Amino acid sequence: MNTTERPVPRWAYRLAHAIPFLTLPSGLWRLGLVFGSSMGMLGTDGQPAYLVGFGGKVYVVCLTIFSELVALTALGLVQRWGEIAPGWLPLIGGRRVHPYAAIVPAVLGSLSLIAIWTFAFRDVFTDHFIPFSSPGWKALMITCYAPLYLWGPALLVVTWAYYRRRVSAPAALASAR
């Protein structure tokens, strides 16, 4: 499966690989805006709201790519490159990754994602949310963004497995000696 120092639990390996797919539906939904659809959203005048301007479209594409790349970093928690930095990286290439150099950012990122998506969708089932032309469009948007609620908790669980494998297991072995 992989070449980590200690075996990665199968469930952690699968969950880490599922995380990028949690961000994919929302990215595809946003790309609909880039390609000229209002995705059912209405402006303040009650008319379809379109993404206008080259800058806005570039921003949405970059946000989509960035989200997917950040989600892909979860793979480092179950792959060899999460333990030994790849050789092509300047300064740290080939060196051992200190476990907390991965754990601290992953935990902070997890907690941030939980806070961001909880705040972003606080009004999702009220009249204070984005106006849509029909309940179907609203349901599509909610369906595409709902997996993001799982991104933070999933990353936190995979980080816990990384911690157990890289920190607590070696500590238990050292104390047994």
Side-chain angles (χ1 to χ4, degrees), residues 3-169:
T3 58
T4 56
E5 288 178 3
R6 289 182 183 76
V8 175
R10 185 174 297 270
W11 63 265
Y13 185 84
R14 288 181 178 164
L15 185 57
H17 282 77
I19 288 174
F21 291 103
L22 297 175
T23 62
L24 189 59
S26 61
L28 294 174
W29 188 89
R30 284 190 302 272
L31 290 177
L33 296 172
V34 171
F35 290 108
S37 174
S38 71
M39 299 304 287
M41 293 191 305
L42 299 175
T44 55
D45 59 356
Q47 297 299 312
Y50 296 100
L51 186 59
V52 292
F54 181 73
K57 292 178 180 185
V58 168
Y59 168 75
V60 170
V61 169
C62 289
L63 174 64
T64 300
I65 292 168
F66 178 74
S67 298
E68 207 56 45
L69 290 174
V70 170
L72 285 167
T73 63
L75 297 177
L77 298 171
V78 297
Q79 297 290 336
R80 181 76 174 160
W81 54 270
E83 297 175 356
I84 306 292
W88 55 267
L89 288 173
L91 303 175
I92 63 167
R95 292 186 183 184
R96 187 170 174 74
V97 174
H98 191 282
Y100 287 105
I103 293 168
V104 170
V107 168
L108 293 176
S110 299
L111 297 176
S112 297
L113 288 166
I114 292 168
I116 288 167
W117 294 114
T118 300
F119 179 77
F121 283 92
R122 68 194 178 283
D123 294 328
V124 74
F125 297 110
T126 70
D127 290 334
H128 303 292
F129 196 62
I130 303 165
F132 283 90
S133 60
S134 73
W137 280 111
K138 184 175 181 178
L140 176 64
M141 191 263 199
I142 292 169
T143 301
C144 289
Y145 274 80
L148 293 175
Y149 276 120
L150 300 175
W151 185 7
L155 182 58
L156 200 56
V157 170
V158 172
T159 304
W160 175 74
Y162 180 86
Y163 168 82
R164 297 228 359 164
R165 187 169 51 84
R166 299 262 346 259
V167 176
S168 80

